Amino acid sequence: MKLLSKLPDVGTTIFTVMSQLATDHQAINLGQGFPDFNPDDKLLDLVNQAMREGHNQYPPMAGIPALRREISSKLESLHGYYYNPETEITVTSGASEALMASILAFVHSGDEVIIIEPFYDLYISAIQLAGGIPVVVPMIAPTDDTPIFKVDWQRVRDAITSKTRMLVINFPHNPTGIRLNQIDLDALEQIVAATDILVLSDEVYEHLVFDGYEHLSLARNATIAANAITVFSFGKTYSATGWKIGYCCAPKALMTEIRKVHQFLVFTVTSPMQHALAQYMKDSKPYLDLAGFYQQKRNRLTQGLATSRFRVLPSQGTFFLLADYSQISDMSEAEFARWMTIEHGVGVIPVSAFYRRPDALQSNHSLVRFCFAKRDDTLNTAIEKLISV
Ligand code: PMP
Ligand code: GLN
């Protein structure tokens, strides 16, 4: 039988490939983004308690009401925007499922969807599975004078056609670590006001914004929020990436369509974790303290690399930072990442993997991504190895 692949250009994701390589070579894994420490004991106890109390059967399709209510009041207190927990919030199997369900719900065959490059790998495949056409708008790459990626909103506007259905954005941004500024939010508002494009906003790193800045959720702008789906992940916020629980929020008419997809993708999401999260979320301290916690780790890695031949780019948010290795090698990013893992015992991710054509010259800027969501002793050991590269 001749199979016709729906995703002929897709292999195994770079995160899985590089984690496997790190395991095979006993390297420290600063590649795939996940903490190497446990969630808070209090949260683990709450899960245990929920299981013992009998919360082990199918919960409601959209998520348990108590959790949706907590999510609603959190978003309202942080961003001043009210999402109705009954009709406008759905608990999903990680942010991944929320993104996939949103794209499948709204993108029809032949619709164009704008994504900004570099981009998280899920978006392009989800668009293709929906029969949509990805329209890739590159960011402005860093230079010696401006060592940070930037979105060129004029290019985004220029990419809009009568077929554009959706714009996908992600701030704080994986892998570049840039955050959204008021100027970006204003540019987005203009776009939304002038068109009927939906905005899919991947905000999984919402609590990881450094140096005293606040995360600007799209929920802060009522014009945008009326046309947007905002997506979040408990995995990042509570150091529990393996639980695969997230949620999305959108106006009722949009959420009705997303739930139609959600109910057939997974129907609902693991019950005891939802009960535990609904309790744990009542305390804002754990998520409000997160930026400070990770900022110290960012600083540790940045300072640790100061005497190395890597040149660190500023990380405004996420638990990633990029480093330029042009003083070390002229290998492609993919080759360099493998070489680092195998020969130097530190697993990293090539930034080119976040490009549509990873092998192209324009996708290679001699940059690799480090994940600093690691214990301090892990970071210290990695730094020792990195200094000698
Ligand atoms: N979006 C971005 C930008 C991510 O980095 C990730 C993965 N860490 C996800 C979505 C998926 O999140 P989850 O594990 O909650 O599905
Ligand atoms: N988002 C994580 C990263 O960027 C990986 C998640 C995954 O492996 N699917 O590293």
Side-chain angles (χ1 to χ4, degrees):
M1 187 181 52
K2 193 166 170 344
L3 281 182
L4 199 56
S5 173
K6 285 202 162 182
L7 299 171
D9 302 327
V10 172
T12 306
T13 81
I14 189 72
F15 311 111
T16 301
V17 170
M18 294 311 293
S19 278
Q20 187 59 48
L21 195 70
T23 306
D24 292 348
H25 293 272
Q26 283 117 47
I28 299 176
N29 189 356
L30 301 191
Q32 190 178 23
F34 63 89
D36 70 345
F37 42 85
N38 242 357
D40 188 350
D41 273 343
K42 209 167 134 191
L43 178 56
L44 301 182
D45 289 345
L46 285 167
V47 174
N48 198 1
Q49 187 185 323
M51 285 184 176
R52 298 269 173 219
E53 283 173 357
H55 296 298
N56 299 299
Q57 312 309 328
Y58 293 132
M61 183 270 279
I64 64 166
L67 181 55
R68 283 184 277 140
R69 280 197 299 274
E70 288 305 323
I71 292 169
S72 173
S73 62
K74 173 186 167 183
L75 288 170
E76 191 172 17
S77 76
L78 287 180
H79 305 303
Y81 188 85
Y82 175 72
Y83 286 107
N84 184 329
E86 292 283 323
T87 53
E88 299 187 322
I89 296 173
T90 298
V91 179
T92 57
S93 182
S96 305
E97 193 237 327
L99 294 163
M100 181 64 82
S102 303
I103 290 171
L104 289 178
F106 300 116
V107 177
H108 293 253
S109 179
D111 283 352
E112 293 178 358
V113 181
I114 298 174
I115 52 178
I116 298 171
E117 187 178 52
F119 52 82
Y120 186 61
D121 61 356
L122 179 149
Y123 312 147
I124 198 163
S125 291
I127 295 163
Q128 284 165 341
L129 286 174
I133 300 164
V135 174
V136 177
V137 174
M139 284 193 197
I140 302 166
T143 59
D144 286 343
D145 290 341
T146 316
I148 190 146
F149 280 87
K150 263 178 78 173
V151 178
D152 184 343
W153 291 106
Q154 189 53 48
R155 286 189 83 158
V156 175
R157 281 191 288 270
D158 291 346
I160 296 172
T161 72
S162 59
K163 288 190 184 155
T164 309
R165 184 82 197 107
M166 183 183 268
L167 163 66
V168 183
I169 62 163
N170 164 223
F171 295 99
H173 185 260
N174 180 9
T176 67
I178 63 174
R179 66 167 182 268
L180 201 70
N181 293 312
Q182 192 56 47
I183 295 173
D184 303 309
L185 207 57
D186 293 346
L188 259 174
E189 182 181 336
Q190 266 187 3
I191 290 173
V192 171
T195 62
D196 58 0
I197 296 172
L198 293 175
V199 184
L200 179 56
S201 181
D202 179 344
E203 305 189 16
V204 300
Y205 299 102
E206 60 176 325
H207 294 298
L208 301 179
V209 177
F210 307 132
D211 307 313
Y213 287 90
E214 286 191 332
H215 169 57
L216 296 186
S217 171
L218 295 203
R220 290 203 175 192
N221 181 306
T223 308
I224 306 176
N227 295 282
I229 305 129
T230 47
V231 173
F232 306 88
S233 172
F234 288 114
K236 323 287 166 186
T237 302
Y238 294 139
S239 307
T241 60
W243 292 5
K244 294 297 303 182
I245 304 190
Y247 52 96
C248 56
C249 311
K252 181 179 173 183
L254 298 181
M255 188 51 76
T256 304
E257 294 303 315
I258 293 170
R259 285 184 182 173
K260 291 180 190 174
V261 181
H262 166 75
Q263 69 182 346
F264 296 129
L265 274 178
V266 296
F267 177 59
T268 187
V269 174
T270 178
S271 169
M273 271 73 172
Q274 290 195 52
H275 285 271
L277 287 164
Q279 277 300 318
Y280 190 72
M281 267 188 92
K282 289 183 192 296
D283 182 6
S284 59
K285 191 168 162 37
Y287 58 79
L288 293 180
D289 284 353
L290 204 64
F293 172 77
Y294 275 119
Q295 182 171 322
Q296 280 184 3
K297 295 195 179 289
R298 177 202 64 175
N299 293 349
R300 178 178 292 272
L301 185 56
T302 303
Q303 282 152 17
L305 289 178
T307 58
S308 77
R309 292 194 292 161
F310 287 97
R311 193 169 53 86
V312 171
L313 273 56
S315 166
Q316 301 175 333
T318 74
F319 45 44
F320 304 116
L321 64 77
L322 303 186
D324 174 296
Y325 61 81
S326 53
Q327 286 179 33
I328 302 170
S329 164
D330 56 10
M331 281 183 233
S332 74
E333 292 178 4
E335 286 170 324
F336 185 79
R338 285 183 66 81
W339 178 75
M340 280 294 299
T341 312
I342 297 169
E343 300 298 330
H344 291 279
V346 182
V348 294
I349 300 286
V351 176
S352 57
F354 294 77
Y355 282 73
R356 184 170 205 175
R357 305 195 198 299
D359 297 330
L361 213 56
Q362 314 86 278
S363 314
N364 279 267
H365 302 91
S366 302
L367 293 173
V368 285
R369 188 194 80 177
F370 292 97
C371 172
F372 51 79
K374 306 295 165 188
R375 296 190 311 266
D376 287 350
D377 61 304
T378 309
L379 290 175
N380 291 345
T381 315
I383 289 165
E384 267 174 46
K385 290 176 185 281
L386 292 169
I387 286 171
S388 67
V389 178

